[in-house]
Amino acid sequence: MPTIKDIAREAGVSHGTVSNVINGRGNVSVEKIRLVWQAAEKLGYKVNTKAQSLRQGKDRTIAVLLPGIEYERFAAIYEVFQSEFSQQGYSVQLYSTRSMETTELDLLTQALNARVSAVITSTCLPDAVERYRAETAELPLVFLQREGPQRTDVMYAGFDPERAGRETAEYVKGRHSGLVGVFTDAAQLPDTALFLRGFRGAYGGPARYVDCPNHQVELRAFEFFEPDDTYEFIVCSDRQREAAVRAACAYSSRRPLPRFLTVAPRAAVTEPSSPIYELDDKRLAHRIVKKLLDRLEREEPLPPFLRMPNSGFRAAPVPAADSAGSALRLLTMASPSTAALSRLLPYLEKSTGIRLELTVLPSLRDVYDVLQTPACGRYDLIRMDVAWLDELAERIYRPLDQIPYDWDALLARTIPELGHNYSTAHGVRCCVPYDPSTQLLFYRRDLFTDPTYKRMYFEMFREELGIPRDFAEYNRIAGFFTRSRNPASPVQYGSTVAIGNVVVSPSEFMPRLFAENGRLLDGQGRITLDTPEALRALQNYQETYAYSDRTVYDFWKNVLEGFADGSAAMTVVFINYASHILNLKMSSIAGRLGFAPVPGGRPLLGGGVIGITRACAHPETACAFLSWLYTDLVAPVFTMLGGLSPCRSAYSNRDISEKYPWLSTARRSFPMAQRRGDSTYYSNFSELQLESILAAHVQKAVLGVCTPEEALAQAQAACTAHFRPWA
């Protein structure tokens, strides 16, 4: 293999320059970076990360000892370790113990000989901490169990297995009167012992208990059918044990297959009719990574215990009284949320008896037009854009205090960052959040972290390339990544831009206006468009358009398609359309995506609300539908399918946050986001009409039909002519 000296000779640079380039250090010019990597590629050089870490005095490797990743729980945990440690420059080495003591001890020796930085283990040793500390007195140790003897630099991480045992026993006890089977890991293991203590303490009926290490599961499952008894339930501590019992029943029993109650990792989607007791193993693993990195990188002590709450059973939807065969009509628009809801309608009918008929119109404007006519009285529920609440909600929706229901309990299921923005108009609660959204910046992380482009940007602007903090910086970066301005750009355009209709154009302009501390309405509610702040915002928008492909996009889906194909470096869009970035078949950037708050920190609130109309004849059925929509069985699935539930259960679900990782950033952005305001200064004020006028004139300026100054003056004149102040 070629050495650094060989590369230096080939590239015509110093040994130190090659070392700096390979290790990502030092003040090296773009030209020398290119020469080094070209020489390295020509000579077939590969970076030896192991050697790099050893030169730094330690091997940045985490040893993970698990029974095996064929077990769903351990696969979920290992997946998080592999992803999150690698992002911080650590490798993860998996050792599969098969739950055998001698194998575990041999693999521990191998791990320690490899000079790992820390050990995480799900041990089968009865005296584990003493055995591990006898082998290594210095390394941080994490045991995947709730409790154990306290030692320095040892952390026990787990859930509450005794509560899990108690709650599964209570579930079974309330639903049968026959024999129950319980199939667990070896009873001497600390977590298993606690689970069995909880189960036996809460369950007084007949039960057969089988416990065994994982490598004996398939054999020991047959013991449940010797003799061939009939079971009402068999409780299994994991899905592998459930599968083994199902197989044993097929071979050895003449009785009907029993019902199963299984402990499993929390997921976005679960089979609604099968009782699952969930533990959020992925979130536990995430917390372990954080604590261990604090110890390794910042020398903070490991806490002795990391205890996570059990997720438990998901509450099943409760059928509404007299809801069998009940029908509701919902007016909405075509969107990812509508597509997600459509897929869930069979489950709605099966679980509640409610049949929901959707009227899906092509655009927001089409919905708005229907709401101006008597035709809106045909619907029981209407999904409305949050921007129209102050204008339309009082006329369309029935106030919540006029509908007997525990609205406080329902809204408590939503994330608190939404505040009252998606439920009140003029101080009156009239609806609930449906698919709340806000704007985020999406960017190509691979481009922003590439050493060549970082150095090139620095040489051009004498500033570090980073996430833009304001829209002036956004345009500077967009220009840098626009090939017509910078032939060395790896992508053709710096940004995609929405400009095509009444919805998208103001949504590009207004965050820029708000970031300039401007506003559309003054303190008295008068429209103020022709201002210095508005002029700077429009000029910035115009410049951004110059760094795009200059396509007139009609909606956010099209904007995202222009970004997802890999031709642009950045875009700013509403998150309820961001699932297209990953779900589009043509997407080429799914693994290279970065996201951040909108430049300037003043995004718009978007998305929609849903309310019960004044014309609804069966509000109690409508309430049952909203309750169903907010349940833990529905909200995560709705979001996974591309919708955007407002519920905590969706935002806290680790599977969903891995699929749509920008949701946590969006959640932090909601309190900063702006909701469009109403004006009492005019007798005929309409937010949509104001934005229609604004869009028409902003678009002319951006496309070069007129100057920004002319566009704002014309927009102001058009608003003055259209909106009539109260006499």
Side-chain angles (χ1 to χ4, degrees), residues 366-680:
D366 294 318
V367 174
Y368 183 87
D369 290 344
V370 170
L371 298 185
Q372 308 307 310
T373 70
C376 66
R378 300 170 55 193
Y379 299 98
D380 303 287
L381 297 148
I382 291 177
R383 188 272 188 197
M384 180 189 298
D385 193 271
V386 67
W388 308 338
L389 268 183
D390 286 336
E391 178 187 347
L392 301 176
E394 184 178 357
R395 177 169 60 84
I396 300 295
Y397 292 146
R398 188 178 304 189
L400 299 187
D401 63 8
Q402 295 180 14
I403 305 172
Y405 190 71
D406 191 348
W407 296 108
D408 289 337
L410 185 74
L411 289 169
R413 300 180 194 175
T414 65
I415 56 173
E417 289 83 358
L418 299 178
H420 301 293
N421 287 311
Y422 291 84
S423 57
T424 63
H426 302 296
V428 177
R429 287 203 303 188
C430 54
C431 55
V432 298
Y434 175 64
D435 54 352
S437 180
T438 189
Q439 294 167 301
L440 286 184
L441 165 69
F442 291 87
Y443 64 94
R444 287 277 301 277
R445 188 179 64 244
D446 58 320
L447 303 184
F448 277 66
T449 57
D450 187 285
T452 301
Y453 303 123
K454 287 172 71 71
R455 180 63 193 178
M456 187 185 300
Y457 186 86
F458 181 81
E459 290 182 0
M460 284 187 179
F461 301 106
R462 293 299 163 185
E463 292 181 2
E464 296 294 330
L465 175 62
I467 299 169
R469 293 158 295 185
D470 54 45
F471 279 105
E473 194 172 344
Y474 182 92
N475 280 349
R476 187 158 55 250
I477 295 171
F480 171 77
F481 281 118
T482 299
R483 195 170 292 156
S484 63
R485 303 296 181 99
N486 175 18
S489 171
V491 292
Q492 194 165 359
Y493 307 109
S495 178
T496 59
V497 176
I499 194 172
N501 64 30
V502 63
V503 176
V504 298
S505 294
S507 298
E508 289 274 11
F509 171 73
M510 284 193 285
R512 290 168 166 83
L513 175 65
F514 296 149
E516 294 284 351
N517 294 317
R519 50 188 179 176
L520 298 179
L521 305 171
D522 67 13
Q524 294 181 280
R526 294 176 299 189
I527 296 170
T528 56
L529 300 180
D530 195 3
T531 64
E533 294 84 4
L535 178 60
R536 291 194 296 271
L538 184 50
Q539 289 170 335
N540 181 280
Y541 183 12
Q542 188 180 44
E543 183 184 358
T544 306
Y545 181 70
Y547 302 138
S548 73
D549 64 0
R550 306 194 184 196
T551 298
V552 178
Y553 290 118
D554 288 330
F555 212 61
W556 300 114
K557 177 177 180 290
N558 310 107
V559 177
L560 278 163
E561 287 173 352
F563 177 65
D565 67 8
S567 62
M570 299 182 292
T571 192
V572 173
V573 292
F574 281 101
I575 61 167
N576 52 332
Y577 288 90
S579 59
H580 285 290
I581 295 175
L582 297 180
N583 296 340
L584 285 171
K585 292 182 180 178
M586 66 180 187
S587 179
S588 62
I589 63 168
R592 298 176 283 172
L593 188 65
F595 39 86
V598 166
R602 304 288 294 277
L604 287 177
L605 285 176
V609 301
I610 190 167
I612 300 170
T613 66
R614 292 182 178 274
C616 179
H618 300 286
E620 70 286 349
T621 305
C623 290
F625 164 72
L626 296 176
S627 177
W628 171 87
L629 189 65
Y630 276 29
T631 60
D632 291 350
L633 276 170
V634 174
V637 184
F638 177 73
T639 303
M640 188 274 297
L641 290 173
L644 196 58
S645 172
C647 294
R648 299 169 189 256
S649 60
Y651 278 83
S652 65
N653 189 287
R654 191 71 192 172
D655 277 358
I656 290 173
S657 63
E658 288 177 356
K659 185 173 180 61
Y660 305 125
W662 51 82
L663 287 181
S664 59
T665 302
R667 183 171 180 174
R668 293 192 298 271
S669 293
F670 275 116
M672 301 181 292
Q674 313 292 304
R675 174 172 145 182
R676 279 89 145 186
D678 194 17
S679 173
T680 58

Side-chain angles (χ1 to χ4, degrees), residues 4 18-25 37 47 52 55-56:
I4 286 179
V18 175
S19 178
N20 284 339
V21 170
I22 289 175
N23 291 290
R25 304 189 301 256
W37 286 120
V47 176
Q52 280 185 329
R55 283 195 297 272
Q56 295 167 3

Side-chain angles (χ1 to χ4, degrees), residues 334-345:
S335 71
S337 292
T338 300
L341 179 60
S342 297
R343 291 181 170 185
L344 296 174
L345 294 185

Side-chain angles (χ1 to χ4, degrees), residues 11 87 169 177 233 263 291 331 392 444 456 466 526 672:
Q87 292 174 25
S177 57
F233 270 100
V263 180
K291 295 297 184 184
L331 175 66
L392 301 176
R444 287 277 301 277
M456 187 185 300
R526 294 176 299 189
M672 301 181 292

Side-chain angles (χ1 to χ4, degrees), residues 132-338:
Y132 273 70
R133 270 292 171 247
E135 297 293 331
T136 171
E138 303 296 333
L139 284 184
L141 301 176
V142 178
F143 289 90
L144 299 178
Q145 61 193 56
R146 179 173 177 81
E147 57 188 40
Q150 293 191 45
R151 299 288 187 273
T152 302
D153 233 9
V154 172
M155 181 174 75
Y156 298 95
F159 300 96
D160 187 343
E162 187 168 0
R163 178 180 176 182
R166 183 173 64 252
E167 290 178 346
T168 54
E170 290 168 350
Y171 183 98
V172 170
K173 189 176 180 180
R175 287 165 175 79
H176 94 106
S177 57
L179 179 64
V180 169
V182 181
F183 196 15
T184 67
D185 207 335
Q188 71 268 23
L189 297 178
D191 279 6
T192 305
L194 289 170
F195 179 90
L196 292 172
R197 186 169 74 184
F199 191 94
R200 288 188 169 107
Y203 185 75
R208 178 175 294 165
Y209 296 89
V210 176
D211 70 277
C212 67
N214 291 329
H215 64 274
Q216 296 178 358
V217 164
E218 288 77 10
L219 174 64
R220 298 291 300 278
F222 282 84
E223 293 180 17
F224 284 104
F225 307 105
E226 301 169 354
D228 189 9
D229 291 324
T230 298
Y231 293 90
E232 291 282 347
F233 270 100
I234 294 185
V235 177
C236 297
S237 61
D238 53 67
R239 292 190 191 273
Q240 281 65 31
R241 283 171 169 78
E242 178 187 332
V245 174
R246 287 178 179 273
C249 182
Y251 282 109
S252 290
S253 177
R254 295 181 176 86
R255 311 293 183 180
L257 187 70
R259 288 181 288 175
F260 289 90
L261 191 164
T262 303
V263 180
R266 191 181 185 201
V269 181
T270 187
E271 208 286 299
S273 63
S274 299
I276 301 293
Y277 191 92
E278 292 184 300
L279 301 174
D280 200 343
D281 289 294
K282 287 190 173 183
R283 190 158 295 277
L284 173 67
H286 170 73
R287 295 284 303 279
I288 290 170
V289 172
K290 184 177 184 304
K291 295 297 184 184
L292 202 47
L293 287 175
D294 287 342
R295 162 65 178 81
L296 296 173
E297 300 292 316
R298 289 169 283 280
E299 298 186 355
E300 297 179 10
L302 276 178
F305 302 104
L306 174 60
R307 290 172 173 169
M308 297 285 290
N310 299 1
S311 299
F313 297 107
R314 299 194 194 190
V318 178
D322 303 321
S323 65
S326 298
L328 295 172
R329 301 193 69 185
L330 168 63
L331 175 66
T332 186
M333 63 166 285
S335 71
S337 292
T338 300

